[in-house]
Amino acid sequence: MDSGLVVDVQSQEVSIAVLEDKKLVELQKEARDISFAVGNIYAGKVKKLMPGLNAAFIDIGYKKDAFLHYLDLGPQFASLDKFYKQALSDKKRFPSISKMSMQKDIDKDGSISDILKPGQEILVQIAKEPISTKGPRLTSEISFAGRFLVLIPFNDKVSISQKIKSKEERARLRQLIQSIKPKNFGVIVRTVAEGKKVVELDSELRTLVKRWEENVPKIQKEKIPTLVYEETGRIVGLLRDVFNPTFQEIHVNEKEVYSQIKDYISIIAPEKRDIVKLYTGELPIFDHFAVTKQIKALFGKTVTFRNGAYLIIEHTEALHVIDVNSGNRAKVKEAGQENNAFEVNLAAAEEIARQLRLRDLGGIIVIDFIDMLEGEHRNKLMIRMQELMSNDRAKHNILPLSKFGLMQITRQRVRPEMIIDTTEICPTCFGKGEIKPSILFTDSLRSKISYLVNKLNVKKFTLHVHPYIAAFISKGCPSLKWKWKWRYGFGMKIIPDQSLAFLEYHFYDSNKEEIDLKQEIELK
């Protein structure tokens, strides 16, 4: 399977599309000013204790206090707390974890009131981003994730990924890490470390320890609450988690991000550094790689997947519901209803596994498959769903079909689900239902171009319009496009943009900054 990454960098946000055999399977969007990301470490202050929930609310500077449950304190919290107090008591000298004596693990069944007090300062890490009206969820089990290893301060254990099956390799990795890791630092060996040499693992381990040593001393200098360590940007973070040898190409449309990605690939896989390519085409990068069209088709309430069969995806506060329908799929009489239902369900399972990753659906997912009577078919569907979700990085659990034909899946929720509204508000009437005659739309565009060139003295610019409008402007000899060029100068470019609504348009200057020429709403 060929995998690829397409990164669309805009002024307000960065969008990352993961493609497998040119099919969109993951989509991440991140505002460029985002500050509360999973993995960020904060020095916060206990705001309020909730004994009934056995939890506390922590002020880390977010508009809603973050939530910390007793079980998320971690067994080594006493050691972390001792370290924090030592760091504050002597601000001229920063304590060394390797030289301190570890404290006894806290009681698994203890009470939050016995450990924390209101006003107490505490070191925490974001485990879940803010979702809906809830603040971030925290943990005090601090960790630093790398490509091959995860470093855990105040923990002296070495754990090996369960996906590494070879006993010899597990023993080799355990012995190797034990011999190179600093005292009082725990390490989780990730699956991709299988077969790696000691030089590679030692280099990454040193890098992770350096992150701790360079960032955590901020607790002695900064005012609480404060950001102690900011996790690697989501672009590099996504690469760290999903990069594998099947990646054939990574396309980026911005030089700075292109350099960041190329530098990272050069470190983790030098032989693959040439797959990172800077996209300089005129079309929007998502249009060029057919991502925009897939987004429009895959994020609606109804998703068609094969031969007229379709899914209906609904969301509630507590769970997500997916209904499988055969639609107007042609029935094969010889096959019979049972086999037809089985074929549609297998195809639906493939699309559902894709949708869960694409929309990043978390929590409880209930799937209403088409009823099947044969136990063999039901078992095969269960096995197929497990196979399809084996590449899903989120933790999940799949239950067998119930007697009502329902399959229940729980999937780890770390970030808010990806919601993209595929409906379009008319940019001409702004939802009023009345517009100017559409035949006059090109006249309106011409007047805008005239205003830009003659009044604002903008000679080089691009006009982004819907592909149908671009085709209309370009048709004929001479076309409207060439008439405008001859009249207003050859610094004008017309770009078809699939992300725009039918009569929507945007002007951009030579620096790709939008020129605000939005049409006013006529009041009647």
Side-chain angles (χ1 to χ4, degrees), residues 11-28:
S11 58
Q12 298 298 320
E13 69 177 10
V14 177
S15 301
I16 305 161
V18 180
L19 305 178
E20 292 180 357
D21 293 332
K22 297 184 179 180
K23 288 184 177 181
L24 180 65
V25 294
E26 284 189 42
L27 181 67
Q28 300 280 349

Side-chain angles (χ1 to χ4, degrees), residues 179-239:
S179 66
I180 62 175
K181 78 172 187 66
K183 184 182 177 183
N184 294 335
F185 280 94
V187 175
I188 297 174
V189 181
R190 307 181 76 171
T191 309
V192 288
E194 187 172 8
K196 299 299 177 183
K197 298 178 181 178
V198 63
V199 176
E200 296 175 275
L201 300 180
D202 182 57
S203 174
E204 181 166 277
L205 184 60
R206 290 174 183 271
T207 301
L208 297 177
V209 173
K210 191 176 179 181
R211 286 184 193 172
W212 165 268
E213 293 174 344
E214 290 182 346
N215 289 278
V216 177
K218 293 177 185 176
I219 63 178
Q220 295 179 320
K221 305 170 185 176
E222 305 292 340
K223 186 179 178 181
I224 305 299
T226 186
L227 175 64
V228 172
Y229 167 74
E230 188 169 11
E231 177 60 292
T232 308
R234 187 168 293 179
I235 299 169
V236 176
L238 181 65
L239 272 175

Side-chain angles (χ1 to χ4, degrees), residues 122 160 171 279 327 484 513:
I122 181 175
I160 311 294
Y279 175 76
W484 291 349
E513 297 289 335

